[in-house]
Amino acid sequence: MDNSKRTVVVTGFGPFGEHTINASWIAVQELKKLGLGSEVDLHVSEVPVEYQTVQSLVPSLWKKHHPQLVVHVGVSGMATTVTLEKCGRNHGYKGLDNSSFCPDSQCCIVGGPDCINSVIDMESVCKRVTSSGLGVAVSVSKDAGRYLCDFTYYTSLHLSHGRSAFVHVPPLGKPYSGEDLGRALQAIIQEMLELIDQAEEKIHCQQQHFH
C-alpha cells in the first residue's frame, strides 16, 4: 500500500420514495470518474436508505479503509444549491426507512451528545468553492433533516471524532446535471482536504513549539 496516498471515502444513497434515481449516488459516480487527483485514493459506496444497514455499514467503511476523511452525499428535494451540512443530530428520527423501520429510541446513539459538529469549517469551504467560479451554487446549513442523511452523518461524526462531512445535492436537473454535481463534489472535497492539511500543520507546529 502506498502510504503517501490519502484515502477518502465518499458515499451516496440508493433510491427511496419519489427519488427512484438518487441524485446523490449519480453525483458520487461522476466524482469517481473525475477522481481527486493522483495523491488521493478515492473509494465510493452506495448506502441503502435503511437505519440498520447504516449502523453496520458506516463503521465497516472506517475499519476497512482508515480514511483521512469520509464524505456522505444525500439528496434533498428542497435543495436548490449544493449544501454543506455543519453538524449531525442525535434525536428525532421518526421517519420510516425503505424497510418501514425507525429506531425505537428515535436516536442514533443512545447517550451520545445531542449534536456533533464536523471539524471542517464549512463556511470556509463554501467561500473558497464559490470564489473559484465553478458555476454551481454552494451554501451552508445546520440542519440535515432528521432522516437517513442526518442519521448517517451523526453516526459517522461520532465514530470519526468529527472527521466527516455531509453534502446535500438537489434532485437531478433542478437545476444541475450529474456532471455538474460531480464537479462540485470534486471541488468541495479538495478544499476540505486542504483545510484538514492546514489544521494538522498548525497542530504539528504547536506541538513542536511546546517541546
Side-chain angles (χ1 to χ4, degrees):
M1 194 174 123
D2 180 359
N3 286 332
S4 65
K5 276 201 162 192
R6 298 178 305 170
T7 301
V8 175
V9 172
V10 183
T11 72
F13 285 99
F16 72 99
E18 78 271 25
H19 300 283
T20 46
I21 293 173
N22 194 317
S24 67
W25 181 233
I26 301 291
V28 170
Q29 287 173 300
E30 289 294 337
L31 168 69
K32 179 72 176 163
K33 286 183 209 164
L34 293 167
L36 289 168
S38 56
E39 314 263 296
V40 178
D41 207 0
L42 171 63
H43 298 272
V44 302
S45 179
E46 185 177 9
V47 180
V49 178
E50 293 170 1
Y51 293 105
Q52 286 165 305
T53 308
V54 165
Q55 283 177 318
S56 57
L57 181 64
V58 172
S60 75
L61 290 172
W62 280 99
K63 213 167 169 176
K64 183 178 170 190
H65 299 295
H66 303 290
Q68 189 182 21
L69 174 68
V70 172
V71 180
H72 303 288
V73 186
V75 67
S76 165
M78 295 175 296
T80 53
T81 61
V82 173
T83 310
L84 309 175
E85 298 292 348
K86 292 174 75 158
C87 55
R89 294 180 194 273
N90 197 10
H91 302 283
Y93 295 93
K94 298 173 188 167
L96 298 179
D97 66 11
N98 280 357
S99 309
S100 302
F101 172 85
C102 92
D104 290 340
S105 61
Q106 293 182 359
C107 79
C108 298
I109 292 161
V110 177
D114 196 38
C115 177
I116 303 177
N117 289 306
S118 173
V119 295
I120 295 159
D121 179 349
M122 297 301 175
E123 259 96 6
S124 186
V125 173
C126 183
K127 274 192 197 116
R128 285 166 169 230
V129 174
T130 302
S131 65
S132 71
L134 187 69
V136 175
V138 182
S139 62
V140 178
S141 150
K142 286 189 206 161
D143 187 350
R146 262 19 130 264
Y147 190 48
L148 265 295
C149 291
D150 211 348
F151 189 85
T152 302
Y153 194 17
Y154 184 92
T155 304
S156 203
L157 286 165
H158 193 269
L159 271 170
S160 65
H161 305 291
R163 290 179 82 92
S164 310
F166 197 99
V167 182
H168 261 125
V169 297
L172 291 178
K174 295 183 176 181
Y176 304 112
S177 67
E179 289 90 343
D180 291 334
L181 296 175
R183 279 190 307 112
L185 287 181
Q186 183 189 42
I188 286 164
I189 295 167
Q190 283 170 337
E191 292 296 355
M192 288 176 175
L193 288 170
E194 184 81 16
L195 284 177
I196 286 175
D197 282 354
Q198 285 171 6
E200 278 172 2
E201 270 169 36
K202 212 162 156 185
I203 291 164
H204 188 60
C205 291
Q206 281 167 347
Q207 281 170 342
Q208 284 180 326
H209 189 65
F210 289 127
H211 292 320

